Amino acid sequence: MKAISITVPIAIVTIVDHKVDFTDPKILITSAAMLVLGLGGAKFTVGNFELSGLGLAKIIGILLNLIFNFK
Amino acid sequence: METKISGTLKENLNDTNLNGKNIVMGLQHTFVMFGATILVPLLTGLEVGVTLFASGVGTLLFHFITKLKVPVFLGSSFAFIPPIVAIAKTGSLPEALEGIVFAGLLYIIVAVLFKFVRVDILHKILPPQVTGPMIVLIGLILAPVAIENANGTHSPQDIF
């Protein structure tokens, strides 16, 4: 479990290295939605199938990013 | 992206000086890799020796194929723990092993697919503004687990 402690700083390094511009509303909405859905414990349920936490945040993030950058 | 690792694996492999720093670093790496590697068989009830042998063969194969470019040890995958535990409860452990073999075949199929998929398509689907928050989430969601593990209120089995 030592890996957990360095995960968040490493993520910040990834973001800083790629110069991600969080003042861009598209990027702001995508990342804000992912963080709130993942940490807030949102649940998406269809019948027996349930999607929550990290899985839900990842899929919503990928979809939002694709929708915003659709050409 | 600038690299944060000092020297390539080839250079580090050639650095065979038995100085204090190298010994401490080697011991530290062994501790981290050993704990993380044998935790998976301990949780799932598989053989520890087979796991160590397989990860050793896997690591050598990885370094042979990638020509010593990435200095890593390939341990056991934590992604397999929940399915193995679930299958072992309802079916039997050999059935779970069968599943692992087919998951490995799926890995190979995906690897072959990546030979044909252009890398910039992957960067379009997963740009840094998506992967960054993803990694932040992994760390923050698991943070309570780290504290519970550290103060002993949870046994490792409860995580999964």
Side-chain angles (χ1 to χ4, degrees):
Chain A
M1 294 299 122
K2 305 111 199 155
I4 295 170
S5 49
I6 59 163
T7 309
V8 178
I10 293 283
I12 295 170
V13 168
T14 308
I15 292 168
V16 172
D17 271 1
H18 288 90
K19 299 189 174 66
V20 177
D21 178 19
F22 279 105
T23 54
D24 181 349
K26 292 172 184 172
I27 293 176
L28 189 63
I29 293 172
T30 309
S31 54
M34 286 179 72
L35 290 172
V36 171
L37 287 174
L39 291 174
K43 271 187 189 134
F44 175 77
T45 318
V46 177
N48 258 341
F49 177 77
E50 187 187 283
L51 204 59
S52 69
L54 193 60
L56 180 66
K58 279 179 176 173
I59 287 170
I60 295 293
I62 291 170
L63 284 180
L64 276 180
N65 180 64
L66 283 181
I67 292 167
F68 285 149
N69 295 310
F70 187 76
K71 273 160 205 152
Chain B
M1 194 177 143
E2 55 180 306
T3 173
K4 296 281 188 290
I5 303 156
S6 59
T8 64
L9 181 65
K10 254 179 197 166
E11 286 164 17
N12 290 338
L13 277 180
N14 290 333
D15 180 17
T16 48
N17 299 324
L18 263 183
N19 54 29
K21 190 187 159 201
N22 275 0
I23 291 172
V24 173
M25 296 272 268
L27 272 176
Q28 185 202 31
H29 199 71
T30 309
F31 269 120
V32 175
M33 123 356 214
F34 191 74
T37 303
I38 67 164
L39 179 65
V40 177
L42 286 182
L43 287 178
T44 53
L46 298 174
E47 200 69 46
V48 175
V50 174
T51 309
L52 283 172
F53 175 76
S55 54
V57 170
T59 304
L60 290 177
L61 201 63
F62 173 81
H63 287 311
F64 176 71
I65 291 169
T66 58
K67 297 185 181 70
L68 301 178
K69 269 183 203 148
V70 194
V72 290
F73 169 82
L74 299 186
S76 37
S77 171
F78 281 56
F80 285 86
I81 297 173
I84 292 175
V85 171
I87 294 170
K89 256 182 206 156
T90 52
S92 63
L93 211 50
E95 284 171 7
L97 290 174
E98 205 177 295
I100 295 173
V101 171
F102 277 95
L105 288 177
L106 196 66
Y107 271 32
I108 293 172
I109 292 171
V110 172
V112 171
L113 275 181
F114 270 93
K115 217 87 191 129
F116 301 106
V117 173
R118 284 192 359 258
V119 183
D120 49 319
I121 292 173
L122 199 68
H123 282 304
K124 244 185 191 151
I125 299 171
L126 291 168
Q129 64 258 34
V130 174
T131 51
M134 263 184 202
I135 311 170
V136 171
L137 273 178
I138 294 170
L140 292 181
I141 287 173
L142 288 176
V145 178
I147 299 298
E148 278 163 6
N149 274 8
N151 67 17
T153 49
H154 257 253
S155 65
Q157 278 85 350
D158 296 335
I159 310 168
F160 307 102

